[in-house]
């Protein structure tokens, strides 16, 4: 799954640690998601969407599309 998390985090001047704290996960989880090594759960995807005031589809893209 492709995602724009790293770009959105940079646009909002956030570190991985800050994003992790805001969403209740570890910095390592944020890093794994940004690198495409881990797909977030649906509740975590909603947390990212609410935080960045976007739709989940604006952050995550199924690579089959």
């Amino acid at each position: 799954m492709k995602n724009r998390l790293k770009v959105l985090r940079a646009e909002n001047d956030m570190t991985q640690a800050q994003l992790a704290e805001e969403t209740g996960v570890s910095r390592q989880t944020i890093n794994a998601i940004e690198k495409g090594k881990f797909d977030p759960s649906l509740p975590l995807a909603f947390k990212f969407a609410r935080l960045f005031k976007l739709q989940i589809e604006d952050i995550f893209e199924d690579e089959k599309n």
Side-chain angles (χ1 to χ4, degrees), residues 34-47:
E34 286 184 357
K35 292 186 177 220
K37 295 180 178 177
F38 177 75
D39 290 334
S41 66
L42 188 55
L44 182 55
F46 274 109
K47 285 183 182 180

Side-chain angles (χ1 to χ4, degrees), residues 1-62:
M1 179 183 304
K2 292 181 182 178
N3 72 77
R4 297 181 49 226
L5 206 55
K6 185 174 183 177
V7 171
L8 292 168
R9 185 172 55 74
E11 288 175 353
N12 288 278
D13 199 27
M14 296 180 78
T15 65
Q16 287 183 340
Q18 289 169 326
L19 181 57
E21 185 174 328
E22 288 283 336
T23 54
V25 297
S26 70
R27 187 196 59 75
Q28 290 81 4
T29 297
I30 299 298
N31 186 53
I33 294 170
E34 286 184 357
K35 292 186 177 220
K37 295 180 178 177
F38 177 75
D39 290 334
S41 66
L42 188 55
L44 182 55
F46 274 109
K47 285 183 182 180
F48 291 134
R50 280 193 295 272
L51 181 67
F52 294 118
K53 297 181 174 64
L54 294 170
Q55 299 295 312
I56 290 175
E57 297 86 355
D58 296 330
I59 302 172
F60 298 97
E61 179 182 332
D62 186 0

